[in-house]
Amino acid sequence: MTTMTIQHHLTDDLLMGYAAGTLPEAFSLVVAVHLSLCDDCRARSEAYEAVGGSLLGALETADLAEDSLQATLRRIAAGPPTERVRKAGGLFPAPLQDYVGGDLAAVRWRPVGMGVRQAILRTDRGASARLLYIPAGAAVPDHGHRGRELTLVLQGAFRDEDGRFGPGDVEIADEAVQHTPTAEAGLPCICLAATDAPLRFRSLIPRLAQPFFRI
Amino acid sequence: MLTDALTLDFADASPPRPAYTGRVRAAPRRARPIPTAPIAETKPTVQPATDDIDWSAVLLRVRDSRDNAAFAALFRHFAPRVKAFLMKSGADATLAEECAQDVMATLWHKAHLYDPARASVATWIFTIARNRRIDALRRARRPEPEDLTWGPDHEPDQADVLAQRQDSARLGAALTQLPPKQRELIEQAYFGDRTHTEIAAATGLPLGTIKSRIRLALDRLRHELK
Ligand SMILES: [Zn+2]
């Protein structure tokens, strides 16, 4: 994964939301994984952080508590917070490993039919995140969206009406999109997907089963 | 602080970047506030908007010599702004005070991670405060990208440090020149802890309008920085 050619990037909307800290956690996870793989988007995201810094620097001040500095020095004296040790290397970039608790081998897959497997990742309620495993050559059930869905490819590739998506690429699907992603031949396609609405599968997977998938 | 002569000087003198060892990924581009024209073409006239204290240098004194006076100066300047930021985001005064203290303590503990070529002190503090806000107000985690690993001897290029300062000053100036309504929208997007959808609901403007106005405001900023 050291030299990947990313074709599909994040929008300014998402980068600004990520920098401002207003995206749902599941979307932020997709953004963080993409930024780990894409220096261009990382630079753009840091530019949006600089906007936040400028705004902060220009804010009118709030009155501090009288002993504020002393209290802060006491916090400092209490010692630094314990640093999380981040896992690096492997298929999954560090932010994804933080959520999975390891690399690919640590994923607890559940079959959802037609050889497709998924694993839900725990995030806050604004949106949901999951890993998808699609066998090479298989189609993901045709589905539309009620909300927004981000799909980032980690391994393999898929194609749909919008083109080809390989490692590092993000597909951003909005309400209107009806698409039929198909995994390319070769490696199984492994994706990280986040959505702020339940998916509506139109075929293959019965609607009734959806609550069991918690998506 | 940034005189015309200085600007021209470092435009002419930027040396080739040394190859770093120990990186995990292929050469990451150093991030700059808002993509800009090459340094040689920049307008040399813009001065830092509000004050010309080089906060990076002050923070480096904390980083390198655990300088208490330097920390107190940073605290006096930034803690009241961090508290204001958190209150604008919906924290009450007590929570905002507590988080502001936390943010400033984090600044002390993590000073070794500050890279003056990559971000202004205000920007770096903003990211710490933003993460603290997500934790305190939303009780959510903040997924962060993989760390960029530099070689053990990495010392930022002075030309990059100056370029960062200059970009930040111009960004600040550009923000103050925005029409008030646009500035307000951008402030809300950053400080309100509200999504564009929620801003639309609060202002009664349709979502598309909000998005295009924010984009317009950012375009204007980019233009200012060209
Ligand atoms: Zn990108």
Side-chain angles (χ1 to χ4, degrees), chain B residues 150-171:
Chain B
W150 306 97
D153 305 324
H154 168 64
E155 262 305 314
D157 198 315
Q158 280 312 300
D160 282 349
V161 176
L162 280 171
Q164 182 281 115
R165 282 204 70 200
Q166 200 199 28
D167 284 344
S168 294
R170 288 158 70 217
L171 179 58

Side-chain angles (χ1 to χ4, degrees), chain B residues 73-110:
Chain B
L74 283 163
F75 185 92
R76 277 192 298 274
H77 184 77
F78 286 105
R81 291 176 166 84
V82 171
K83 185 171 180 177
F85 163 64
L86 291 156
M87 290 176 73
K88 270 177 180 277
S89 302
D92 63 28
T94 312
L95 181 63
E97 171 74 33
E98 198 176 304
C99 291
Q101 291 179 15
D102 239 27
V103 167
M104 297 312 289
T106 302
L107 171 125
W108 173 279
H109 288 308
K110 294 199 168 170

Side-chain angles (χ1 to χ4, degrees), chain A residues 9 34 38 41:
Chain A
H9 294 270
H34 182 80
C38 178
C41 285

Side-chain angles (χ1 to χ4, degrees), chain B residues 19-65:
Chain B
Y20 297 114
T21 52
R23 264 186 210 167
V24 286
R25 296 200 181 281
R29 210 153 301 166
R30 307 306 294 276
R32 288 278 167 70
I34 303 288
T36 60
I39 291 166
E41 291 169 30
T42 55
K43 283 183 281 181
T45 48
V46 180
Q47 298 296 318
T50 43
D51 56 52
D52 59 359
I53 296 172
D54 181 358
W55 290 111
S56 294
V58 181
L59 181 51
L60 294 186
R61 296 217 309 271
V62 173
R63 185 189 77 178
D64 298 335
S65 42

Side-chain angles (χ1 to χ4, degrees), chain A residues 111-131:
Chain A
V112 293
M114 306 301 288
V116 177
R117 290 186 267 164
Q118 73 172 16
I120 311 274
L121 304 175
R122 186 179 285 276
T123 55
D124 73 353
R125 274 176 303 166
S128 59
R130 64 202 168 123
L131 286 161

Side-chain angles (χ1 to χ4, degrees), chain A residues 6 8-10 34-35 37-42 44 168 170:
Chain A
I6 295 174
H8 302 273
H9 294 270
L10 296 166
H34 182 80
L35 298 191
L37 303 168
C38 178
D39 294 334
D40 283 326
C41 285
R42 192 195 280 255
R44 285 160 67 210
V170 184

Side-chain angles (χ1 to χ4, degrees), chain A residues 90-166:
Chain A
L91 177 66
F92 296 167
L96 184 53
Q97 295 210 25
D98 291 343
Y99 278 76
V100 171
D103 202 25
L104 183 58
V107 179
R108 298 172 66 188
W109 296 106
R110 284 168 195 277
V112 293
M114 306 301 288
V116 177
R117 290 186 267 164
Q118 73 172 16
I120 311 274
L121 304 175
R122 186 179 285 276
T123 55
D124 73 353
R125 274 176 303 166
S128 59
R130 64 202 168 123
L131 286 161
L132 281 170
Y133 175 103
I134 307 151
V140 180
D142 182 22
H143 58 281
H145 305 264
R146 242 169 287 173
R148 185 147 64 151
E149 187 183 34
L150 308 181
T151 308
L152 183 147
V153 177
L154 296 154
Q155 175 194 289
F158 70 81
R159 280 177 190 281
D160 68 8
E161 290 79 349
D162 289 337
R164 180 187 186 271
F165 295 82

